[in-house]
Amino acid sequence: MHYFNGTGWLEIFNGTQTSIGRTVDVDAWDAATGVGLFVDPQRGTRRPVTDYPDFSHLERADQV
């Protein structure tokens, strides 16, 4: 399966007891830290992946 997004990267989350594992597009990069950011639909804002304990790793995606 191929994934396409603007940054060319995906964030992989393992999940927890209360949330399922998921794959999320890297929406942008934090200019100060270089950490991947994604849009949190519950908060309606960009958040760094490091805010989530179930963040596993980044994977390359095809870039559009």
Side-chain angles (χ1 to χ4, degrees):
M1 178 178 272
H2 290 279
Y3 291 96
F4 296 90
N5 67 35
T7 63
W9 289 93
L10 300 168
E11 299 158 334
I12 310 301
F13 295 86
N14 290 328
T16 65
Q17 290 181 347
T18 58
S19 68
I20 61 170
R22 60 206 181 280
T23 300
V24 180
D25 289 350
V26 173
D27 186 58
W29 303 100
D30 184 289
T33 64
V35 171
L37 304 172
F38 71 99
V39 177
D40 181 336
Q42 293 176 336
R43 292 191 180 185
T45 187
R46 282 185 177 155
R47 295 186 62 194
V49 297
T50 52
D51 279 1
Y52 294 84
D54 63 331
F55 170 67
S56 174
H57 62 281
L58 296 173
E59 288 187 6
R60 281 200 162 285
D62 293 317
Q63 193 170 8
V64 290

